[in-house]
Amino acid sequence: MATVPQLEDLPELDGKRVLLRADFNVPLEDGSITDDLRIRAALPTIQWLVDHGAHVTACTHLGRPKGEPNPKYSVDPVRKRLAELAPGVELLDNLRFDPGEESNDPAFVKRLVDGFDAYVNDAFGASHRAHASIVGPPRHLPSAAGRLLAKEVEVLLGLRDQPRRPFVAVLGGAKVSDKLGVIDALLDRVDALIVGGGMCFTFLAAQGHSIGDSLCERDQIESCKRLLAQSKPIHLPSDVTALGPGDEVRQAGVDLPDGWKGLDIGPGSAAEFTDVILDAGTVFWNGPMGVFEDDRFAAGTRTVAQAVVDTKAFTVVGGGDSAAALAHFGMTDGVDWISTGGGASLELLELGDLPGLQALRESVAR
Ligand code: 3PG
Ligand code: MG
């Protein structure tokens, strides 16, 4: 991949106005930020810009307000936190209050860049979206990647192109259909794949197991059969923790009667997965092994998280739910890199490029 322009490649910034696209799409509960990682992650870039005399105006999307203003998705809590962490940095309204953001409307891009002298993209988590604020400004302004974006790309392309072996990917989460592309791409590069979470049941069904009332994407069974037939090992659970009639919770094998729903991998599987993770040279983990928010179904994800912390491997955790799981177990400090992007990290691993990176490389002012 051709390199993207860095902050140092921008023209003199003293007294200039810089538009900073950040991904401040933070989790909120009753209007309070529950994890400000994405705001803190942009601070090195902001600091660099301020040190070079720039006036910084940040912009972000928050949630999915679908092109119209909605107080539920107000960026006020972000603005407040940003004012504490980076006084003097302004924040525009939620970009997605305007339909032009998601449709990449040229008129919206023009309004966005009006009055600015340079553009910096530090929104790694949104750089897989070809939205106006991501791909538009580089057509009008001298543009560069911020420090966070640059680091994310370095780490994830490093995994993709020169992982220390064995390279093990651990995937969980609900849906196979969301991850089929990345599973295909990863199987070309990893030495082993571990599958847990809701999506493992479609694989188990493809192997002919009766999975009771567990999550299953019937239309993905053929794809799972195809994946299982290729040569790289795919480790699936051999036992699960299941919820049955009358809210009974039980450890079971992977053949479940009707009325029973697997909601976590079982202790035997967690131990097997641990062995594979401890022997790895590189681990990429995306997606919890079960419904970890419920203590009854947290053990599988906790054990796998502990293995990711304990292994000597270089460990990378893809954003979203797996990062939230690590935080839930207080293990955030035990991994080498926590990506701020969920979908973006998967797409970068799959394709080796993102619309936001492409736009920076094609920027007018290079
Ligand atoms: C994320 O949280 O994954 C990013 O901010 C992108 O958000 P989106 O999935 O709503 O585009
Ligand atoms: Mg480690």
Side-chain angles (χ1 to χ4, degrees), residues 227-239:
L227 292 169
L228 289 165
Q230 51 71 58
S231 61
K232 296 280 173 67
I234 298 183
H235 299 274
L236 294 170
S238 52
D239 61 349

Side-chain angles (χ1 to χ4, degrees), residues 8 22 69 120 171 218 248 253 279 288 290 297 301 355:
E8 287 76 6
V120 171
L171 295 182
R218 294 270 156 217
E248 193 186 335
D279 283 343
F297 307 107
T301 305

